[in-house]
Amino acid sequence: MTQFDDQQLRAQAWFQSLRDQICAAFEALEDEGSGGAPGRFVRTSWDRPDPSGEPGGGGVMSVMKGRVFEKVGVNTSTVHGTFSPEFAKQIPGASEDPRFFATGISLVAHMANPHVPAVHMNTRMLVTTKRWFGGGADLNPALPVAADTADFKAAFETTCGRHGADYWDRYSKWCDEYFWVPHRGRGRGVGGIFYDHLEGDWEANFAFTQDVGRTLLQTFPMLVRRNMDRAFTAAERDVQLRYRGLYAEFNLVYDRGTTFGLKTGGNVDAILMSLPPLAKWD
Amino acid sequence: MTQFDDQQLRAQAWFQSLRDQICAAFEALEDEGSGGAPGRFVRTSWDRPDPSGEPGGGGVMSVMKGRVFEKVGVNTSTVHGTFSPEFAKQIPGASEDPRFFATGISLVAHMANPHVPAVHMNTRMLVTTKRWFGGGADLNPALPVAADTADFKAAFETTCGRHGADYWDRYSKWCDEYFWVPHRGRGRGVGGIFYDHLEGDWEANFAFTQDVGRTLLQTFPMLVRRNMDRAFTAAERDVQLRYRGLYAEFNLVYDRGTTFGLKTGGNVDAILMSLPPLAKWD
């Protein structure tokens, strides 16, 4: 039986606890909505068969299709096994020993009201012969509202400031770069943070990663409440569906997690959880 | 001023003539439809700036959003210039001399009625120090009908048989392989033909390429007429929208023309013409 060490168990427990807190907060928002019945999360678990034949871990998808959240997925997973030789070369610390462990949470929310921004958050801990955290959160409004963008960024700037003097500057820039859609000449969203390979002081890095999750949990519901009852036109809904086309383009053409996962036999339903419930192209 | 040779001019003229015949045939189908006004093609031209600063050609998009064709694009383009050194290595005959010429037609039809199959056809002539044709046609029904699939394949089998004893066998297999969607464990469509690097006897290869276009023009409208007035349920429309999600996944994750075009500054609107007007994901 696979034995996880204390840090692995603490990270896994945090991501699952964060998932439970987020699901509860989002179901509360559903209760405050109107039109149709309030949505509830449905959980589906999956196992990952490791190519070695050993157990490879797995994950749980939590998906809600509601009246405030048109579709939201909050996935957790804890996977482990042995990287293939060619993949091991690309991962820090894996060329010496191809065994790996990864645990994390991934959240994508596509909203019913086009005035409510979509949002994405993902944090994870990776272990090879090295051990690091990575992740981020970014806001994806179809119809950007300056105050929403400012509040979202200010919340993450404050969080970053508690953990590293240069974190906001570096990680907000990294977010803008990572989510750039070259063929559209624009970013996927309006910003946030993105970080990776955060090694060194494990306790400090874990605390930062937890704080990123808490910041999403505290900030996003505020933006939802602010906008969820705003009236919208068919033209605004149309803008939202076209914006989701661009969102799907980014995820399917450029997002490393999506393209790598699809091409290497990852859990397809969990990977494609990020895709919008409905999207439009001209 | 760029001078094209006789073969280049004849190929270009054929693709434009085929485009005109297809557009006329599809507008006739619109006239036979019901519900709303019959659609008409709208043409938009684009220029390709060659990185060298010389004129690089361009293309014309013909797009119709109608009552039978929810969205259909028939694009022609004739582009020429100089490949970048790293790209020249990947293209037959371009490592010796990086100059190239390409002319072709690309057709994607997404239909309003889920009982009418979507279809894709693309044929092109490439010139480097070598000169070849490539292309194909494949049927993409959301709700496959055995008789439609059989008639579509039989038409292309007959066409192939007129030009090469092994064409149908080779090109139908190539189609199944090219349009395979690994992460879904299925093909994008139900088959057709795919061919590339058809060099040698230019007249024979041009005749085959013309015949592929004519076969599409003669066969597809028959399948449309057969199904366009069939009643359908909301559940069948839903199956169609989800099928289009898979169609978008293939094009954005795997299709070489799409991903290469987007990442190298091709005309974005012309490349993304293939994406469905509306698509759904679970």
Side-chain angles (χ1 to χ4, degrees):
Chain A
M1 191 190 142
T2 309
Q3 296 287 333
F4 298 148
D5 64 33
D6 180 62
Q7 292 177 346
Q8 291 170 329
L9 291 171
R10 283 171 62 199
Q12 179 186 42
W14 161 252
F15 293 129
Q16 292 174 352
S17 160
L18 177 62
R19 181 262 324 270
D20 294 341
Q21 295 173 65
I22 288 172
C23 289
F26 286 5
E27 289 187 348
L29 287 167
E30 277 294 313
D31 290 337
E32 297 169 30
S34 57
R40 284 295 175 263
F41 278 95
V42 175
R43 292 193 178 181
T44 311
S45 62
W46 53 274
D47 292 322
R48 175 184 171 278
D50 193 66
S52 66
E54 296 294 309
V60 177
M61 293 178 280
S62 299
V63 175
M64 178 168 71
K65 295 174 183 176
R67 57 190 185 183
V68 176
F69 292 83
E70 189 172 331
K71 173 185 166 191
V72 52
V74 190
N75 293 351
T76 56
S77 67
T78 300
V79 297
H80 47 88
T82 306
F83 284 132
S84 67
E86 67 268 30
F87 189 42
K89 280 182 232 160
Q90 305 171 37
I91 304 292
S95 49
E96 299 90 325
D97 180 339
R99 287 177 298 174
F100 74 95
F101 167 94
T103 184
I105 182 171
S106 181
L107 179 165
V108 175
H110 294 286
M111 311 305 292
N113 187 317
H115 293 302
V116 182
V119 76
H120 162 249
M121 189 268 293
N122 164 246
T123 52
R124 58 196 172 271
M125 170 187 163
L126 267 289
V127 180
T128 59
T129 61
K130 298 179 186 289
R131 179 171 295 233
W132 69 92
F133 287 93
D138 61 299
L139 198 68
N140 303 279
L143 298 160
V145 174
D148 292 347
T149 302
D151 288 346
F152 186 84
K153 289 187 173 185
F156 282 97
E157 183 171 1
T158 300
T159 296
C160 283
R162 280 196 294 271
H163 296 271
D166 61 348
Y167 276 17
W168 170 250
D169 195 43
R170 285 167 54 206
Y171 298 153
S172 62
K173 279 198 182 70
W174 199 347
C175 179
D176 292 341
E177 288 161 13
Y178 182 82
F179 291 107
W180 185 252
V181 189
H183 68 267
R184 295 287 191 184
R186 57 162 287 183
R188 184 182 75 172
V190 294
I193 61 168
F194 185 97
Y195 65 105
D196 206 357
H197 303 119
L198 195 62
E199 281 188 78
D201 182 341
W202 188 88
E203 290 292 348
N205 298 338
F206 181 44
F208 173 62
T209 292
Q210 289 178 297
D211 224 359
V212 168
R214 282 189 206 101
T215 304
L216 189 286
L217 176 61
Q218 287 156 12
T219 308
F220 185 65
M222 176 183 76
L223 303 183
V224 176
R225 286 196 176 87
R226 192 185 281 177
N227 294 294
M228 61 191 264
D229 295 323
R230 289 175 64 191
F232 63 89
T233 64
E236 287 166 335
R237 172 68 173 169
D238 206 64
V239 169
Q240 182 190 38
L241 296 183
R242 284 163 208 275
Y243 171 72
R244 288 179 182 171
L246 170 131
Y247 191 96
E249 285 167 29
F250 175 83
N251 287 26
L252 291 171
V253 178
Y254 301 103
D255 186 61
R256 293 188 306 231
T258 303
T259 55
F260 179 83
L262 290 180
K263 290 178 179 177
T264 55
N267 184 278
V268 174
D269 293 331
I271 295 165
L272 297 183
M273 173 274 285
S274 69
L275 294 178
L278 199 64
K280 202 165 181 174
W281 279 277
D282 271 317
Chain B
M1 192 189 141
T2 310
Q3 296 287 333
F4 298 148
D5 64 33
D6 180 61
Q7 292 178 346
Q8 290 169 328
L9 291 170
R10 284 171 62 200
Q12 179 186 43
W14 161 253
F15 293 129
Q16 291 173 354
S17 160
L18 178 62
R19 182 263 323 271
D20 293 342
Q21 295 173 66
I22 289 172
C23 289
F26 286 5
E27 289 186 350
L29 287 166
E30 276 295 311
D31 290 337
E32 298 170 30
S34 58
R40 284 296 175 262
F41 278 95
V42 175
R43 292 193 178 180
T44 309
S45 62
W46 51 274
D47 292 322
R48 175 183 171 277
D50 193 65
S52 67
E54 297 292 310
V60 177
M61 294 178 281
S62 300
V63 175
M64 178 168 72
K65 295 174 184 176
R67 57 190 185 182
V68 176
F69 291 84
E70 188 172 331
K71 174 186 167 191
V72 53
V74 190
N75 294 352
T76 56
S77 67
T78 301
V79 297
H80 47 88
T82 306
F83 285 133
S84 67
E86 67 268 30
F87 189 42
K89 280 182 231 161
Q90 304 172 38
I91 304 291
S95 49
E96 300 88 327
D97 181 338
R99 287 177 298 174
F100 74 95
F101 166 96
T103 184
I105 183 172
S106 180
L107 178 166
V108 176
H110 293 286
M111 311 306 292
N113 187 318
H115 293 301
V116 183
V119 75
H120 162 250
M121 190 269 291
N122 164 247
T123 52
R124 59 196 172 270
M125 169 188 166
L126 268 288
V127 180
T128 59
T129 60
K130 299 179 185 287
R131 179 171 295 233
W132 70 92
F133 287 93
D138 61 299
L139 198 66
N140 302 280
L143 298 160
V145 174
D148 293 347
T149 302
D151 288 345
F152 186 85
K153 289 187 173 186
F156 282 96
E157 183 170 5
T158 301
T159 296
C160 283
R162 281 197 293 272
H163 296 271
D166 62 349
Y167 276 16
W168 169 249
D169 196 43
R170 284 167 54 205
Y171 298 155
S172 62
K173 279 197 182 71
W174 200 346
C175 179
D176 292 342
E177 287 161 13
Y178 182 83
F179 292 108
W180 185 252
V181 189
H183 69 266
R184 296 287 191 182
R186 56 162 288 181
R188 184 183 75 171
V190 294
I193 60 167
F194 185 97
Y195 66 105
D196 206 357
H197 305 299
L198 196 61
E199 281 188 78
D201 182 341
W202 188 89
E203 290 292 350
N205 298 338
F206 182 43
F208 173 62
T209 293
Q210 289 177 299
D211 224 359
V212 169
R214 282 188 207 101
T215 305
L216 189 285
L217 177 62
Q218 288 156 11
T219 309
F220 186 64
M222 175 183 78
L223 303 183
V224 176
R225 286 196 176 88
R226 190 186 282 177
N227 294 294
M228 62 191 264
D229 296 323
R230 289 176 62 192
F232 62 88
T233 63
E236 286 165 336
R237 172 69 173 167
D238 205 64
V239 168
Q240 182 191 38
L241 296 183
R242 284 163 208 276
Y243 172 72
R244 288 179 181 170
L246 171 131
Y247 191 96
E249 285 166 30
F250 176 83
N251 287 26
L252 292 171
V253 178
Y254 300 103
D255 186 59
R256 293 188 305 231
T258 303
T259 54
F260 180 81
L262 290 181
K263 290 178 179 177
T264 55
N267 184 279
V268 175
D269 293 331
I271 295 165
L272 296 185
M273 173 275 284
S274 69
L275 294 178
L278 199 63
K280 203 166 181 174
W281 280 277
D282 273 316

